[in-house]
Amino acid sequence: MPELPEVETVVRQLGGVLPGLGISDVEVLHADLLHEPAISFRKGLRGSQVTSVGRRGKNILIRLSSEGILVINLGMTGQLLFFRKEAEADRVTHPAIRFPLDPSGTLLYADIRRFGTLRRYTAEEWEMESSRLGPEPLSPELTSSMLFDGLSRSRSPIRSWLLDQRKIAGIGNIYAVEALFRAGIHPQRAANSIDEAASKGLLSAIQTVLREAIRARGTTLRDYRTVEGEQGGFAPSLLAYGREDQPCTRCNTSIRRIVFGNRSAFLCPHCQPSE
Ligand SMILES: [Zn+2]
């Protein structure tokens, strides 16, 4: 599932190609991804120009000359691909929404499982929606004392707390598991059991792993692709996620997989004690 580093990669790449291009048409192949009828979605976007591309949490924000914002969430298996030549887009499997661009190029949203969403907002509507999300983990706006304060108010397992987009925006299971491994914190520990020093270490681990993953253009386990259709390069750098029964890189103890909150977590029982 695409998380902050994957979405940031897509946003940076699109930011280099989309601004200044016009949306000449919108071809909706799967209207279930939209929150409005295909006809009004098309009418609302056709003829507008892209002014900038940004990110908030796991959302891709395409700002338009009409002052509206197209917000794309990749869900589980969404891919946002850019093609300079229109014919190249024809080769993509599972296309869902196609945007022919003016004067040339095609932006294509493809999605095998179709848990993604594409939604139009006015600037005011988006501001409201965005205010429901927690702070950006890479922004100086999030300090370790804020994180400690937030954690101290919750008895949830720390991994669940990190996945809650209202607490921090952009972290999903892969980077939560990796950050907890790097910080030496058991994923099931109660958020409010984590002291100030450990909160500081956790924030630093979150920021380090996110930055490293952005540099590698994200993690591809299966479906995630960059805008150019390439896989992200961070998977070999995962130290805990998906490494069940492999030796911990720090102490050689076998990495364990546990399941709670319906999701797998991976941990080193020696480096991440439960108390
Ligand atoms: Zn270990």
Side-chain angles (χ1 to χ4, degrees):
M1 180 168 184
E3 306 179 27
L4 189 153
E6 291 75 44
V7 175
E8 179 67 21
T9 300
V10 167
V11 162
R12 288 183 184 185
Q13 293 183 332
L14 286 182
V17 291
L18 281 191
L21 296 181
I23 297 176
S24 59
D25 201 0
V26 182
E27 294 161 18
V28 178
L29 306 168
H30 289 289
D32 55 343
L33 296 157
L34 310 177
H35 286 255
E36 63 182 316
I39 289 180
S40 68
F41 183 75
R42 180 172 179 230
K43 206 173 154 195
L45 293 174
R46 206 163 47 161
S48 46
Q49 207 176 45
V50 176
T51 56
S52 66
V53 184
R55 181 187 59 76
R56 176 77 173 102
K58 300 180 198 169
N59 300 291
I60 298 157
L61 315 179
I62 300 182
R63 295 183 193 274
L64 303 163
S65 55
S66 57
E67 292 182 1
I69 305 175
L70 173 61
V71 178
I72 300 174
N73 189 295
L74 300 172
M76 300 267 294
T77 55
Q79 301 175 346
L80 198 53
L81 304 162
F82 176 79
F83 300 94
R84 290 187 193 281
K85 295 194 182 110
E86 217 159 292
E88 292 171 349
D90 294 338
R91 291 201 290 266
V92 173
T93 52
H94 308 284
I97 318 269
R98 195 173 164 134
F99 303 90
L101 301 169
D102 177 35
S104 67
T106 299
L107 180 66
L108 182 76
Y109 181 82
D111 199 338
I112 298 171
R113 296 186 64 184
R114 296 213 301 277
F115 289 116
T117 56
L118 293 87
R119 192 164 180 171
R120 291 189 308 128
Y121 288 89
T122 65
E124 297 75 35
E125 285 167 347
W126 175 249
E127 205 176 313
M128 180 89 89
E129 196 63 30
S130 175
S131 70
R132 296 195 184 107
L133 297 174
E136 288 290 328
L138 294 178
S139 141
E141 163 197 357
L142 178 63
T143 62
S144 65
S145 60
M146 260 176 73
L147 178 63
F148 174 62
D149 189 56
L151 294 175
S152 67
R153 291 163 200 273
S154 170
R155 287 191 302 254
S156 299
I158 178 65
R159 199 271 311 260
S160 312
W161 193 95
L162 290 172
L163 296 185
D164 184 346
Q165 300 299 298
R166 295 166 301 180
K167 304 289 197 285
I168 298 188
I171 298 175
N173 199 30
I174 294 176
Y175 297 105
V177 162
E178 285 299 303
L180 290 167
F181 173 82
R182 285 157 203 243
I185 298 171
H186 193 287
Q188 279 179 308
R189 263 184 62 184
N192 64 2
S193 76
I194 292 163
D195 67 17
E196 198 157 3
S199 304
K200 202 169 174 181
L202 177 57
L203 180 59
S204 155
I206 289 170
Q207 292 176 332
T208 305
V209 72
L210 293 178
R211 287 203 181 101
E212 284 174 8
I214 290 170
R215 227 172 293 139
R217 289 179 291 112
T219 300
T220 296
L221 297 178
R222 237 177 55 192
D223 299 297
Y224 159 71
R225 293 291 182 276
T226 72
V227 163
E228 289 154 354
E230 289 172 348
Q231 301 201 5
F234 194 67
S237 306
L238 297 173
L239 301 180
Y241 191 92
R243 296 193 69 244
E244 186 178 13
D245 295 334
Q246 294 179 47
C248 169
T249 50
R250 288 198 184 135
C251 75
N252 270 330
T253 304
S254 291
I255 298 287
R256 267 187 63 205
R257 183 174 78 99
I258 56 173
V259 179
F260 65 98
N262 280 322
R263 333 245 339 228
S264 293
F266 299 86
L267 64 116
C268 170
H270 176 74
C271 297
Q272 296 166 270
S274 55
E275 293 299 319

Coordinates of all heavy atoms in Angstrom, one line a residue, residues 248 251 268 271, ligand 1:
C248 N 17.8 -10.8 12.8 CA 17.8 -9.4 13.1 C 19.2 -8.8 12.7 O 20.2 -9.5 13.0 CB 17.6 -9.1 14.6 SG 17.9 -7.4 15.1
C251 N 21.1 -8.1 16.2 CA 21.5 -9.1 17.2 C 21.4 -10.6 16.8 O 21.6 -11.5 17.6 CB 20.6 -8.9 18.4 SG 18.9 -9.5 18.2
C268 N 11.8 -7.7 16.3 CA 12.9 -8.5 16.9 C 12.6 -8.6 18.4 O 12.6 -7.6 19.1 CB 14.3 -7.9 16.7 SG 15.5 -8.7 17.7
C271 N 15.5 -7.0 20.5 CA 15.7 -5.5 20.4 C 14.5 -4.7 20.7 O 14.5 -3.5 21.0 CB 16.2 -5.1 19.0 SG 17.7 -5.9 18.5
Ligands
ZN1 ZN 17.5 -7.7 17.4

